[in-house]
Amino acid sequence: MDLPPIVQAFVLHFGEMGSRWGINRTVGQIYALLYVSPDPLTADDMVARLGFSRSNVSMGLKELQSWNLVRLQHLPGDRRDYFSTPDDVWQIVRTLVEERKKREVDPTLSVLRELLMQTPASAEERHAQDRMREMHHLIELLCGWYDDVRRLETERLVQLLTLGAKVQKILEVKDRLFALPGGKGKDKAGKEG
Amino acid sequence: MDLPPIVQAFVLHFGEMGSRWGINRTVGQIYALLYVSPDPLTADDMVARLGFSRSNVSMGLKELQSWNLVRLQHLPGDRRDYFSTPDDVWQIVRTLVEERKKREVDPTLSVLRELLMQTPASAEERHAQDRMREMHHLIELLCGWYDDVRRLETERLVQLLTLGAKVQKILEVKDRLFALPGGKGKDKAGKEG
DNA sequence: ATGTATTTTCAGAAATTTCTGAAACCTGAG
DNA sequence: CTCAGGTTTCAGAAATTTCTGAAAATACAT
């Protein structure tokens, strides 16, 4: 591996991290390298710097492309493929989350939905369905939230995150302002977008 | 595998899902089974129902315990260990997130911090550090947010999630209410907890 | 077409991870 | 201490995943 020490440490760390997720070491390292590279790289650049076989790099890049995590571009007068990551880290995170949701959460939701449709044949199945229902409900809630915030511009999103739980405070103020002394006062903010 | 069809489908799905994460199939299946079981189970119950070897189940349970995802209890006059999941799904999710953060995010943050302390020896390293800084900043922001919301009671948390991006609307109202025509008007809600 | 530069595929080798049975290890009871 | 019921450990077998080199495909220029 032929990398300056700081880059090397970064690359190795993401290789390790990758393998804790479903991602394999190679793919993690390739992405880390791309992420810190000032310019787009060719597959052969990566071979030279990471020391994997050419075919391994090719497969890794294919994987990354299937995740929409790399940009592919061409330089005029050069037939080789040049790869890079988006400049904007937030874009990377958004893509990552989106793809993981697509691959992990959505299938789970559909399995749950399917199983919840079925008629339980025993007390055991009935209880199992109750549990699944709870899980389904929780996931739906999280997805709803995600679906909402992913549309925010990054600037707004950052604002929201920075605020953190202090939003609570503001909500309390709002509740106090708008509370109708007689009414339930609950789901106030619904339907106005 | 000796399970009613609905439970079996659920267990198998989580086995698959497990292997997409770092978690192995066995562990995923064990947890799924525990999750839908009306009563605590012994390791032998799991052997009987899932068909793994006793030692495999034992290792899986050890793994789950190291994640704090199972409760261990004893019945009077019975030496065997009985395992169960928390009753509250939210508690499970909280634990899951907490542990993953501990194992994946925190080490990454500390690697990043360490690498950012070092003096770059070249333009390449300088650029790499810039990228790492962006990543570090993003992760810190997310962690700060998480650190905030994880303290909320579940009811509050659900409220917040349900609201989703509509919070934005409320913030806009707040901004309008409190905006000082002359000032920057930015990070208003700071420091009041 | 032919030749060259490049990327992709794929069968099997290498490495890693998972799983098992047997043995070791606890812990409490007699 | 010894036994019985139970759990954990661990070395190696089995399965899976990753990685490679060689061959095939692609794409472009001449």
Side-chain angles (χ1 to χ4, degrees), chain B residues 6-75:
Chain B
I6 296 179
V7 174
Q8 167 152 341
F10 181 77
V11 163
L12 290 177
H13 176 77
F14 273 82
E16 287 313 309
M17 266 335 179
S19 46
R20 290 220 189 163
W21 290 54
I23 300 150
N24 80 40
R25 202 186 286 66
T26 316
V27 175
Q29 293 192 9
I30 292 177
Y31 204 73
L33 176 60
L34 277 178
Y35 176 75
V36 298
S37 288
D39 304 298
L41 300 179
T42 66
D44 283 316
D45 292 337
M46 301 177 213
V47 168
R49 312 204 75 188
L50 299 174
F52 303 131
S53 74
R54 182 52 232 266
S55 49
N56 199 3
V57 169
S58 175
M59 282 168 138
L61 286 169
K62 212 179 98 189
E63 171 94 4
L64 286 171
Q65 280 176 287
S66 85
W67 281 77
N68 284 312
L69 282 170
V70 289
R71 280 303 109 210
L72 169 58
Q73 56 193 287
H74 287 105
L75 264 49

Side-chain angles (χ1 to χ4, degrees), chain A residues 73-90:
Chain A
Q73 55 192 291
H74 286 105
L75 263 49
D78 187 339
R79 284 214 237 141
R80 288 171 299 173
D81 294 342
Y82 281 81
F83 296 90
S84 58
T85 65
D87 286 337
D88 177 9
V89 214
W90 283 97

Side-chain angles (χ1 to χ4, degrees), chain A residues 22 24-26 52-53 55-56 59 79:
Chain A
N24 80 41
R25 202 187 286 68
T26 315
F52 304 132
S53 73
S55 50
N56 199 1
M59 282 169 140
R79 284 214 237 141

Side-chain angles (χ1 to χ4, degrees), chain B residues 153-167:
Chain B
E153 292 166 42
T154 297
E155 202 198 334
R156 284 299 192 173
L157 179 53
V158 170
Q159 223 175 82
L160 214 64
L161 291 172
T162 309
L163 212 56
K166 292 191 215 69
V167 178

Side-chain angles (χ1 to χ4, degrees), chain A residues 26-185:
Chain A
T26 315
V27 174
Q29 293 193 9
I30 291 177
Y31 203 72
L33 176 60
L34 278 179
Y35 176 74
V36 297
S37 289
D39 304 297
L41 300 179
T42 65
D44 283 318
D45 292 337
M46 301 177 212
V47 168
R49 313 205 72 188
L50 298 173
F52 304 132
S53 73
R54 181 53 232 265
S55 50
N56 199 1
V57 169
S58 176
M59 282 169 140
L61 287 169
K62 212 179 100 188
E63 171 93 5
L64 286 171
Q65 280 176 287
S66 85
W67 281 78
N68 283 312
L69 282 170
V70 289
R71 282 301 109 214
L72 169 58
Q73 55 192 291
H74 286 105
L75 263 49
D78 187 339
R79 284 214 237 141
R80 288 171 299 173
D81 294 342
Y82 281 81
F83 296 90
S84 58
T85 65
D87 286 337
D88 177 9
V89 214
W90 283 97
Q91 189 47 54
I92 296 175
V93 171
R94 282 171 190 261
T95 306
L96 211 63
V97 173
E98 184 67 23
E99 292 290 327
R100 281 194 92 94
K101 172 172 183 290
K102 201 184 299 174
R103 288 161 201 240
E104 289 156 19
V105 179
D106 294 350
T108 298
L109 272 180
S110 87
V111 166
L112 287 174
R113 267 197 274 271
E114 189 186 316
L115 296 178
L116 288 172
M117 299 284 285
Q118 294 181 27
T119 314
S122 63
E124 185 181 354
E125 287 199 325
R126 214 163 308 121
H127 179 268
Q129 277 188 334
D130 290 345
R131 290 292 267 170
M132 291 180 208
R133 199 148 21 235
E134 288 171 40
M135 179 182 286
H136 180 265
H137 181 247
L138 188 158
I139 299 178
E140 286 265 308
L141 188 60
L142 291 173
C143 285
W145 177 80
Y146 165 68
D147 203 55
D148 249 26
V149 299
R150 77 166 159 188
R151 285 186 235 280
L152 294 176
E153 290 166 43
T154 297
E155 201 197 338
R156 284 301 194 173
L157 179 53
V158 170
Q159 219 174 86
L160 214 65
L161 290 172
T162 308
L163 213 55
K166 293 192 213 72
V167 178
Q168 270 303 122
K169 289 277 155 60
I170 294 169
L171 288 182
E172 279 160 21
V173 171
K174 183 212 71 161
D175 278 353
R176 235 172 291 131
L177 284 176
F178 297 120
L180 307 174
K184 279 258 187 76

